[in-house]
Amino acid sequence: MSVPDYMQCAEDHQTVLVVVQPVGIVPEDQFFKIYKRIASVSQVSIRDSQRLLYIRYRHHYLPENNEWGDFQTHRKVVGLIAVTTCGSSKEWPQTSERFHGQKEVYGSTLYDSRLLVFGLQGEIAEQQRTDVAFYLNFDECPDVEKRVEDFVESIFIVLESKRLDRATDKSGDKIPLLCVPFEKKDFVGLDTDSRHYKKRCQGRMRKHVGDLCLQAGMLQDALVHYHMAVELLRGVNDFLWLGAALEGLCSASVIFHYPGGTAGKTAGRKPNISQPADAGKRHRPGALTSNGISADTSTEIGRAKNCLSPEDIIEKYKEAISYYGKYKNAGVIELEACVKAVRVLAIQKRAMEASEFLQNAVYINLGQLSEEEKIQRYSILSELYDLIGFHRKSAFFKRVAAMQCVAPTIPEPGWRACYKLLLETLPGYSLSLDPKDFNKGTHRGWAAVQMRLLHELVYASRRMGNPGLSVRHLSFLLQTMLDFLSDQEKKEVTQSLENYTSKCPGGMEVITLPDGLKLPPVPFTKLPIVRSVKLLNLPVSLRPHKVKGLLGQNMSTASPFIYSPIIMHNRGEERCKKIDFQWVQGDVCEVQLMVYNPMPYELRVENMGLLTSGVEFESLPAALSLPAESGLYPVTLVGVPRTAGNITVNGYHTSVFGVTSDCLLESLPGVKTGGCLVEVIPSLPRLQLSTSLPRSAHTPQPMSKEELSSTVSVQLFNGETQQLTITLENIGTEDIETLELTSKTVTTKEKVFGEFLSWELEEALSHLPLKPGQSVTLTVNIKVKLDFSGQENLLQDLNDDGISVTGLPISSPLRQVLKPRAETKPVSSESGKGSPGGTLEAVLNFKYSGGAGKVEGYYRDLSLGVHVDVEPSVFFTRVSTLPATSTRQCHLLLDIFNSTEHELTVNAKNNQDLVLHASECQRMAIQVDKFDFESLPPPDQETVRFANPKQLEEERQHAQGSIILNHSHPSLRRHGEASVEGVLNQLVLEHLQLAPLQWDVVVNGKPCDCDVIADCKVGDAVTLEIKLTNLSKNAVGPFALTVVPYQDYQNGVQNYDLQDGVTFIGSNTFYIDAVKPKENSVCVGALLFLYTGDFYLNIKFQDDSAGRELPLAWFALPSVHIKAQDTPLQAGA
Amino acid sequence: MAVCIAVIAKENYPLYIRSVPTQNELKFHYTVHTSLDVVEEKISAVGKAMADQRELYLGLLYPTEDYKVYGYVTNSKVKFVIVVDSSNTSLRDNEIRSMFRKLHNSFTDVMCNPFYNPGDPIQSKAFDGIVSGMMVQPS
């Protein structure tokens, strides 16, 4: 007896053993079909006896084990069912012969046998035989079960008769000695008459009868017999049999206590409901039957006395096993007893004691075991450990069994079996092959042993010839154990992974093993580790904007309230998930990931792209290479939405070491994301700008760099004008249907005069709609006009020059010589140079739309920054006025300083050119008409109160703008305009202002002003008319005017003594009464010139009013130049 | 003296493990790992009500051919396992107890370190020193 039956359990002692075997040629599948049907008859209720017979079927049983049948009768083969096929009656004798031969094998112990013949027809099959049943084929045998039942009953009859035979055999005079095979030689020559020997015979027989009783369903009797046997055998120190008796006692008690069986689910017994009579019998002591009273109280009491308590069962098992342990040859019995005891303990949930039994079982040496037996032994140990809840121990033995499958001593290693067993160890090491289980929280389980197991799985699957599995396991190892791998191990694992994937690339499909286990895909979420995912808005120039009117509508539908303290939580969540910008169909959209490479070497990630849903999305995968132990590293993944709607970014896919992974964000721990849902709006056109001016890096201050698509930069002299040609090209796929252009000047400290940017859009608009690929040009004028005033230090320069000049420029070379300071001046001018120059910045905004996006109410904005560095050109260092000969005009004296490094020419409208060298300052006089501010439409009374000073100022400025100087830079071929706006101070302005009191002097009916020379004849009376027109708002006067004639000798001498030469007809003094606004007053007088000559009339003014409020300039009357000529007497004489 | 000393977290993963024949460390990993079955069994056997007065020292967990495995569980369910050579018969139960007590004290010190993150592997030098003192000195 060398092969233990590890599946044995205590209740097997109750069963009778029937061997079912094929005889001759029987197809294996057919045989097992029949075997299954036979085995379904596992318990048979015996007629008239209320007893149950349990049958254990085996299709293979060693005759060697059968020899131990006397020791424990359940090991004895008592029935044989042979299954055979027989084609014709000719073969029948041969078949019959074989059946008999088979019977011989177990002949000594068989009670009965049956032969099931399939396929035989004819005469022989017609015979009615109890021991042979004929069937046409394997499918038509409806009464097999019935036959088996009959057969079992016949076995029972034999069993019962044997039991009765042995039980009543009380004479004791000749009881045969039952013995186990290895004892036989020990008893040779022993005194058979000794008392000791007799007792031994009695004891053993008692035990045997107990076995039979148990098998025959007489539990009570069995217990009694076992007790007696124990008493008898203890007396003679027959340890082996004492052990057997004790074990029998245990078995019977177990059967009583645990009617459900101890073998677990697989070998579970049928419920006893079908045997209502039996039910009462199987009740625990003291339990009531359905009648309320125990069926047979006496038996109950007796049983309770004989039956072992659960604790005693274990004690007796221990004792029995210790006795068995004394015999080397009874190793199998001992081992099986251990297994049975463990099963009982498992039911009792006494794991610690069970583990002790198992520990003992491990040490039982059964001699030389074959590899297969070793595997079986370790497997069963594993199962038993599992049964008592020692999952780790179970996994340990399972793994040992797996290793045994591929031990080097085995010629054909069973890698498949090894792999299968290894898979079964997974739960014991708290390892599941689903990487999702490792995503949450800390690592579970014992990493060192888990890693070992995974390595073994990889190796086994590779040896099995399934590289796909190896890749999957290796990926899993790398993904879940990354934190526990040393740098060297990481290197090794990735290298072998790359080796495997070169043959069989890893993917995302679920691998299903033949036994139904599913291996979920392992996405490499740690290679690289993604820390944050951020959807990026489109570049500013491509961002879609909603037309305001439509937006308003949407707002109103969202909620009727502008503000509500009640926050709708569900809606809030929805909002925060959705990102508040839009992507545009057909445009490249970006998602930024912050990734981290945990590996100690460079990580190459290929084919990294986005996983999206909701909208058709064309992902454009990227390949990246992350340096070893990199910090956070930004990676931008791009793609193009092909349809409009809501798009959700679910994750990303990578290909690392030849394994493709789909990593979903929801399963990634610790990833920061600001929402993954974004709206994609229908496509919009795209506009590209190109300009005639160079681009620059300058950005207008309040704008960020991103907001501008580009910036042009130009350097201009103050006052210069430049044309900027902008080419607009449609580089998108949609037509541009609308285009708008606005500009915004970035506020600067500099004061800008005039319009900085101006353009004509009509010409460009006429080209719309602009088809893709087409372009249109637009010209924008850039005009810079900053303050032309100079600084203090420059002003002083010419101040000390007391010469007041009239009319023409005074650039005499002498002056230059006299003023050596002019040479030293560039130093100071250099320092003051930057001030009037500066920068001007503006943003040109193109709004355009078209295509499907326009229908939805979206447009795009393209901004072009214009940056102008203004270089100072000329300064007006000093401004003063000189009255001109006419009261309507005056001379404006400008000290112009050339701050450039080039020679330049300056000219006013009708003046001659003035050439200025670099850093040269010269004075220029311009004759200008005085301004008549009052002639501008007078503001009505209402606005005067508030805005008068301001408005007046503006009007003045407007007027000043008309004084324009052109300056040109011949060497640079550039020219510009300078205006005196902002240069003129209040005093100068006053001089430039046309007085509200307008004086007109008319001589001989001819208006006389400035340089106009009135002709008259000597002796003729010359009428002089002085007219005052009041244009001011107040009444003026009264005034007195005195006309004083004089002669100017042109040498600085003026002769006022002209009483002889000029005579007034009437008074030379006029009196003007008050003149109301808008009215005029005329004084008329006459003069008589007595000599020829040039005479001047100086009209002097005397103010009679008490308080003089009006400025003096208002009363500047023109001087009158009269040329008195001889009358042409000679001609007349 | 011990041949292997291990500290196991509440969630049954090793916080610290050290063995003397370093060349076969994995064997001790398996030994200690399987001993957890017994530890769990012993803890659960005591029952909920008795948990407060439970003896921390679990005694011999199981003997193998070569080694004896002793266990100790703190109230926070951190397990200490000491493996001693079976041949070392001179070692008394009391000595094992005192070893565990020393280990527990040192572990408490480790936990008191504000820079130690509970659940991380123990890298304390002081703890290492205590453990070294209890280990068999490699000859």
Side-chain angles (χ1 to χ4, degrees), chain A residues 844-899:
Chain A
L844 280 170
N845 227 336
F846 295 85
K847 270 188 192 177
Y848 61 98
S849 186
K854 182 174 178 284
V855 179
E856 296 275 311
Y858 287 99
Y859 64 88
R860 267 182 173 157
D861 229 351
L862 189 61
S863 301
L864 174 71
V866 179
H867 175 98
V868 182
D869 281 314
V870 184
E871 294 236 332
S873 50
V874 291
F875 295 134
F876 301 114
T877 55
R878 188 173 173 210
V879 181
S880 57
T881 51
L882 274 181
T885 43
S886 162
T887 54
R888 303 295 174 91
Q889 289 183 321
C890 77
H891 292 286
L892 187 64
L893 297 181
L894 297 169
D895 289 350
I896 305 172
F897 173 69
N898 175 9
S899 64

Side-chain angles (χ1 to χ4, degrees), chain A residues 414-642:
Chain A
W415 288 105
R416 227 161 255 288
C418 168
Y419 180 77
K420 193 170 169 297
L421 286 169
L422 283 176
L423 280 184
E424 287 168 18
T425 66
L426 289 170
Y429 292 113
S430 330
L431 200 61
S432 84
L433 291 179
D434 191 347
K436 284 194 190 87
D437 297 342
F438 286 86
N439 283 343
K440 310 162 205 104
T442 50
H443 185 86
R444 292 190 301 130
W446 201 287
V449 290
Q450 286 175 339
M451 251 156 59
R452 177 76 187 196
L453 176 61
L454 285 171
H455 273 298
E456 281 161 357
L457 276 173
V458 170
Y459 191 69
S461 55
R462 186 170 76 85
R463 295 298 299 263
M464 267 163 64
N466 193 337
L469 271 182
S470 314
V471 169
R472 180 56 51 87
H473 288 310
L474 212 48
S475 309
F476 184 85
L477 174 69
L478 198 57
Q479 164 74 16
T480 57
M481 301 292 165
L482 194 64
D483 300 342
F484 305 99
L485 290 168
S486 68
D487 286 359
Q488 183 59 31
E489 284 170 323
K490 280 179 187 169
K491 203 163 228 161
E492 282 166 12
V493 168
T494 51
Q495 261 171 10
S496 51
L497 183 58
E498 275 174 316
N499 280 342
Y500 292 153
T501 51
S502 63
K503 286 172 236 149
C504 175
M508 282 301 289
E509 71 283 355
V510 174
I511 296 179
T512 307
L513 295 177
D515 59 351
L517 187 76
K518 286 187 165 59
L519 295 183
V522 183
F524 279 145
T525 57
K526 284 185 179 168
L527 297 170
I529 297 170
V530 173
R531 281 269 177 267
S532 79
V533 176
K534 192 174 145 203
L535 276 66
L536 297 184
N537 201 347
L538 291 170
V540 178
S541 62
L542 294 179
R543 268 176 214 173
H545 300 272
K546 191 93 177 166
V547 173
K548 285 283 190 291
L550 291 168
L551 190 73
Q553 273 176 14
N554 283 356
M555 293 271 281
S556 64
T557 55
S559 165
F561 303 109
I562 295 166
Y563 168 76
S564 164
I566 302 159
I567 298 158
M568 303 293 273
H569 279 288
N570 50 354
R571 201 172 59 189
E573 275 166 34
E574 204 179 350
R575 280 262 174 81
C576 65
K577 233 188 134 186
K578 189 163 176 172
I579 301 171
D580 62 349
F581 57 74
Q582 289 100 18
W583 281 352
V584 180
Q585 176 190 340
D587 277 0
V588 173
C589 301
E590 297 177 322
V591 174
Q592 193 181 55
L593 308 177
M594 296 305 285
V595 300
Y596 171 84
N597 172 18
M599 294 305 232
Y601 47 84
E602 192 184 28
L603 182 66
R604 289 194 56 78
V605 184
E606 276 150 30
N607 199 30
M608 191 165 187
L610 292 170
L611 295 172
T612 59
S613 66
V615 162
E616 202 181 306
F617 189 78
E618 186 190 337
S619 179
L620 307 171
L624 46 135
S625 178
L626 297 170
E629 308 271 6
S630 71
L632 277 183
Y633 201 86
V635 174
T636 308
L637 299 181
V638 295
V640 180
R642 289 296 176 205

Side-chain angles (χ1 to χ4, degrees), chain A residues 273-323:
Chain A
I273 301 156
S274 54
Q275 284 89 30
D278 189 55
K281 215 174 84 180
R282 288 189 165 272
H283 265 292
R284 281 171 174 251
L288 298 178
T289 59
S290 52
N291 299 328
I293 306 160
S294 275
D296 184 355
T297 41
S298 63
T299 56
E300 282 295 331
I301 291 162
R303 193 174 291 163
K305 209 162 62 186
N306 292 325
C307 188
L308 298 173
S309 71
E311 287 73 32
D312 282 344
I313 292 172
I314 302 310
E315 283 308 307
K316 297 293 180 222
Y317 261 126
K318 266 189 197 158
E319 194 182 344
I321 288 163
S322 72
Y323 294 143

Side-chain angles (χ1 to χ4, degrees), chain A residues 211 341 357 439 517-518 604 611 697 752 754 912 968 1012:
Chain A
D211 280 352
F357 275 101
N439 283 343
L517 187 76
K518 286 187 165 59
R604 289 194 56 78
L611 295 172
V752 188
Q912 66 193 77
S968 58
V1012 179

Side-chain angles (χ1 to χ4, degrees), chain A residues 374-384 397-398 401 421:
Chain A
K374 276 185 194 161
I375 295 165
Q376 199 189 6
R377 183 168 174 178
Y378 290 130
S379 300
I380 209 75
L381 278 170
S382 156
E383 256 169 57
L384 291 170
F397 278 107
K398 191 79 89 181
L421 286 169

